[in-house]
Amino acid sequence: MTSTVPALGTRSAEGSALQAVLLDMDGTLVDTEGFWWDVEVEVFASLGHTLDESWRHVVVGGPMTRSAGFLIEATGADITLDELTVLLNDGFEDRIGRALPLMPGAGRLLAELYAYEIPTALVSASHRRIIDRVLTSLGAHHFGLTVAGDEVPRTKPHPDPYLAAAAGLGADPARCAVIEDTATGVAAAEAAGCHVVAVPSVAPIAPALRRTVVTSLEEVDLAFLHGLMTEMR
C-alpha cells in the first residue's frame, strides 16, 4: 500500500456524508480487462493450450493467483503458478506500454475529485508493478493512496483492500463510495461496508441495496456521488 498524501481524510467536503472515493483500476478507469484476457490466451497458446471463451467470466476481476490457478487447472498446463504469474505480468506490461486507453469519463472524474480535494484511493487486484506503470497514465497525483493486490493478505473478493484504503484515508467505510466494474470487486466493497457504484465491463451486475449500477463513468460526477451518500442518511 502506497500513500502519497498524508492525512488526506481530513479534507473531505464539510457537511457531506461522503468521506472518500475508492476506485478499481482495470475495466473501471482503464480499458484493460480485455488486455488481461488477450495475454492469458497468448501465454496458454504458447504452452499448447486453447482457452475457452466462457472462462473469461470466471477469471475477470479477481486476484491473479485465483485466475491463473483456475486456468492451470482447467487446461492442465505444465507450468507453476509463480512461473505463470511472471509471464502474465510481463505480457500485460508490454501491452500497456503500447497503449493504455482510459474508460469514458475516467479522466474527467479523476480531475473533478482532485480539484475538489476529495480523498481518493486506487484499489486494485493487480500487482504493484502493474499499478505503478498504469499510474504514469492515470496521474499518481490523483490518488492519496494506492492499494495493490500483492500488498494485502487477502485481495478481492475479500474486504481487506477496501478496508485498508478507507483506514489509510482516515475514512469510515460506510461513508466511502466505491466504483467497480466486476462482481468480484463489488463483493469486496460491499463486504467492507461501502456504497458501490457498479459500471459493468464484461459481465452484467444487478442493482441491490447500497449498490447503484450505471452504464458508464460519464454518468458519475461529484454531485452524483454526494447524492448517493445523502440518500443513505
Side-chain angles (χ1 to χ4, degrees), residues 3 6 15-16 45-46 52 76 81 84 89 92 107 137-138 171 175 205-206 209 228:
S3 176
S16 171
S46 71
D52 191 305
L81 184 60
L84 179 57
N89 275 324
F92 187 78
S137 294
L138 284 178
R175 294 177 63 180
I205 299 173
L209 183 66
L228 291 180

Side-chain angles (χ1 to χ4, degrees), residues 3-61:
S3 176
T4 57
V5 183
L8 190 60
T10 63
R11 302 194 301 182
S12 58
E14 184 177 353
S16 171
L18 179 68
Q19 289 186 341
V21 178
L22 317 177
L23 301 111
D24 173 56
M25 187 177 75
D26 294 301
T28 299
L29 293 176
V30 288
D31 192 7
T32 50
E33 289 292 9
F35 284 16
W36 281 113
W37 178 249
D38 291 344
V39 170
E40 288 160 348
V41 168
E42 290 174 3
V43 168
F44 277 90
S46 71
L47 297 171
H49 298 275
T50 301
L51 300 188
D52 191 305
E53 182 69 24
S54 66
W55 296 343
R56 182 172 184 171
H57 297 296
V58 179
V59 301
V60 68

Side-chain angles (χ1 to χ4, degrees), residues 8 14 19 24 33 78-79 100 105 123 126 140 145 153 189 198:
L8 190 60
E14 184 177 353
Q19 289 186 341
D24 173 56
E33 289 292 9
D78 183 20
I79 190 171
L100 185 59
V123 184
S126 290
L145 186 74

